[in-house]
Amino acid sequence: MPSTPGRANPPNESAPVAEPGAEPSAGGAGERVGERPGGSALPPEAAEIAAGYAFAGPALDLGALLWDGRCRADAPVRIPLPMLNRHGLVAGATGTGKTKTLQLIAEQLAAQGVPVFLADIKGDVSGISAPGAANDKVTERAGEVGQEWAATGFPSEFYALGGIGTGIPVRATITSFGPVLLAKVLQLNQTQEQSLGLVFHYADQKGLELVDLKDLRAVVTFLTSDEGKPELKGIGGLSSVTAGVILRALTTFEAQGMADFFGEPEFDTSEFLRPAPDGQGLVSVLELAGVQDKPQLFSTFLMWLLADLYNDLPEVGDVEKPKLVFFFDEAHLLFSGASKAFLEAITQTVRLIRSKGVGVFFVTQTPKDVPADVLGQLGNRVQHALRAFTPDDQKALKATVRTFPDSPYDLAEVLTGLGTGEAVITVLSEKGAPTPVAATRLRAPESLMGPVAAEALDQAVRSSPLYARYADAVDRESAYEKLTAQEAETQARKQADAAAADAAKEARTQARAKPRGDGSVVEQVVGSGMFKSLMRSVGTQIGREISRSVFGTARRRR
């Protein structure tokens, strides 16, 4: 068994080896052997691994096999392009090269015409839009893995959540975000989440558009008022205590500057599926550096993007290449503290979106960060180095090793000894079967490994055809305005009823005090000062409603 990264216990390195495309015989590795091109000999076990990555169709080049302490450029490790929609996991400790792996895969997908979505947590993925810079390390790495490296930039669009940061603003309405995702963002418990679901149900039934946070706050406040309480009585109602929790959570959320994420124009996620003018896949980079301290928010917002794509895309089954590959960075934040309903929604989305041509790669530190039901859907694995400094680290290491197929490697030792830019890989073959586990030295990205200049980024954003469509927020008439108008109308009606009652009382008093023949009661009421004051109040209110209606309906809708 190998005891170091890429090291095996081969019986005889001078023995002939299997051809990379040859199928191993039933007797096991080494029974069918041959000579590698160029006379380079691979041990039988290494040859069997190499044969598992010799695909006939289009594939992405990940790197070269590590074996017996050497990088074997003549044994490439690849992933079939049609298998990218079978999802994947990129894992590893901080600083082991996960981000560069994303960049490497993304730029090859783009080159083959596949759109890519990247979440830029640290603000250093924007470099994919610019050619890389050659240096000694890049040249050395390219030579080791047999890569013909050429500096290349790829067509990119840049986005920012709610416009916080440099990018085209990405917004969602509260209605489309839904109660399950919103409950996750607000950190509500299961009971509170169910109550929030009732609020959404009521708003949907009554035609109250929940566009932004003030709309949701208005509906919750109304349903706990004397007028609103009967509205939900038949389906359980909304307790004032639960409503108070929801309202406080909304207030805190808004105080943290999160209100800008919800509103209109709502972003159309089909924009991520566009090809570039030159036929390459467009790389969509969502900048999240400005909200790094709001992990629950950005992870849940990424889930909304994915769920929205799932709802809109048609079924296509197996495809020659994916319609989109979605990289979900810092995935452990998505699952931390998640409710049962939330986890079920994620599992269902990941399971079913494959047949719509979308591949999802979760990026995190260890496989145990991802629930088992979701992990079971991830057919492609790139595992960077893990650390085992503490008992918890050692436990995570053992759990990670158990998630891999059997292999000739001592994975526990290999995974703790991998260098930066090295990983243990297993993917799905063209037939859908797992490939042999391969310790791999990864290729160097050909785009810039770092952020582009701020001026260049700003220019790219403002020159995008999407900027004019999404840059400016729109606040049209929705639940808040409708309920405010309804409350004003109710108050005006109450005032009118009270004033009419007072006027009638005054008229009766005056009628008793005056002799007959001084005019009817109606004439006395109409002529009273209180009635005239009431009419002025009602007239003013009607004028306000007409004005609000005219300006509200004039606003542009989606």
Side-chain angles (χ1 to χ4, degrees), residues 104-328:
L104 172 67
I105 297 174
E107 61 187 29
Q108 291 191 66
L109 285 167
Q112 299 208 40
V114 179
V116 178
F117 175 92
L118 291 176
D120 189 4
I121 303 294
K122 299 185 290 293
D124 58 358
V125 183
S126 60
I128 196 169
S129 63
N135 56 45
D136 291 343
K137 288 185 178 180
V138 169
T139 302
E140 180 183 4
R141 175 59 62 98
E144 290 172 344
V145 299
Q147 176 184 7
E148 295 181 5
W149 189 91
T152 310
F154 297 86
S156 304
E157 290 275 18
F158 300 96
Y159 302 93
L161 286 186
I164 295 182
T166 304
I168 298 163
V170 175
R171 303 181 186 89
T173 63
I174 293 290
T175 292
S176 68
F177 208 72
V180 174
L181 290 175
L182 190 60
K184 178 69 163 59
V185 171
L186 299 177
Q187 301 182 43
L188 304 181
N189 62 30
Q190 185 174 355
T191 300
Q192 294 154 0
E193 179 183 319
Q194 292 170 348
S195 295
L196 187 62
L198 286 179
V199 174
F200 274 73
H201 173 75
Y202 173 79
D204 290 343
Q205 294 296 313
K206 298 296 183 180
L208 297 172
E209 298 92 340
L210 300 177
V211 174
D212 49 28
L213 291 179
K214 70 178 185 298
D215 289 326
L216 180 58
R217 186 184 297 107
V219 175
V220 174
T221 302
F222 170 73
L223 291 175
T224 54
S225 67
D226 291 339
E227 281 190 277
K229 283 180 180 178
E231 297 285 342
L232 292 181
K233 189 174 181 180
I235 52 176
L238 178 65
S239 76
S240 56
V241 173
T242 300
V245 172
I246 295 173
L247 290 173
R248 285 193 296 274
L250 289 173
T251 300
T252 302
F253 190 65
E254 191 168 11
Q256 293 173 342
M258 302 297 105
D260 291 338
F261 299 130
F262 297 99
E264 291 181 322
E266 183 174 57
F267 187 77
D268 184 353
T269 53
S270 66
E271 305 286 8
F272 296 144
L273 303 173
R274 294 179 299 131
D278 61 0
Q280 294 190 88
L282 193 63
V283 180
S284 298
V285 181
L286 179 64
E287 181 187 343
L288 296 170
V291 291
Q292 285 187 81
D293 57 339
K294 310 291 186 301
Q296 293 280 0
L297 174 71
F298 73 67
S299 63
T300 309
F301 213 98
L302 291 181
M303 194 62 220
W304 169 77
L305 294 176
L306 191 60
D308 195 67
L309 283 167
Y310 167 73
N311 290 331
D312 291 345
L313 288 174
E315 294 282 340
V316 295
D318 292 327
V319 290
E320 293 183 358
K321 62 182 181 181
K323 289 187 174 182
L324 173 72
V325 177
F326 194 100
F327 289 93
F328 211 124

Side-chain angles (χ1 to χ4, degrees), residues 314-484:
E315 294 282 340
V316 295
D318 292 327
V319 290
E320 293 183 358
K321 62 182 181 181
K323 289 187 174 182
L324 173 72
V325 177
F326 194 100
F327 289 93
F328 211 124
D329 206 357
E330 301 291 345
H332 63 283
L333 300 172
L334 178 69
F335 302 109
S336 176
S339 68
K340 181 180 179 181
F342 184 74
L343 291 176
E344 288 175 350
I346 293 176
T347 304
Q348 181 183 29
T349 301
V350 172
R351 180 183 295 120
L352 299 179
I353 203 169
R354 178 195 67 79
S355 63
K356 299 193 174 190
V358 177
V360 183
F361 275 69
F362 290 96
V363 186
T364 188
Q365 296 192 356
T366 70
K368 72 180 184 64
D369 294 333
V370 181
D373 288 344
V374 177
L375 190 63
Q377 306 296 317
L378 311 182
N380 304 297
R381 299 276 302 278
V382 180
Q383 177 66 60
H384 287 267
L386 291 174
R387 310 302 179 214
F389 300 139
T390 68
D392 286 343
D393 291 342
Q394 293 170 0
K395 184 177 179 180
L397 175 62
K398 291 179 181 178
T400 300
V401 169
R402 288 196 296 270
T403 64
F404 279 92
D406 292 338
S407 78
Y409 295 99
D410 181 350
L411 286 179
E413 191 159 351
V414 169
L415 287 173
T416 55
L418 290 170
T420 301
E422 297 177 346
V424 170
I425 292 175
T426 179
V427 301
L428 293 180
S429 71
E430 292 168 312
K431 296 180 179 180
T435 59
V437 176
T440 306
R441 182 161 294 161
L442 297 167
R443 289 184 162 215
E446 295 183 338
S447 55
L448 183 64
M449 290 188 279
V452 297
E455 297 79 9
L457 181 59
D458 186 65
Q459 176 61 29
V461 170
R462 294 183 179 277
S463 61
S464 169
L466 301 182
Y467 185 77
R469 188 180 309 169
Y470 295 107
D472 297 326
V474 176
D475 186 15
R476 65 178 173 89
E477 184 183 56
S478 51
Y480 171 78
E481 288 78 12
K482 290 179 180 179
L483 289 175
T484 300

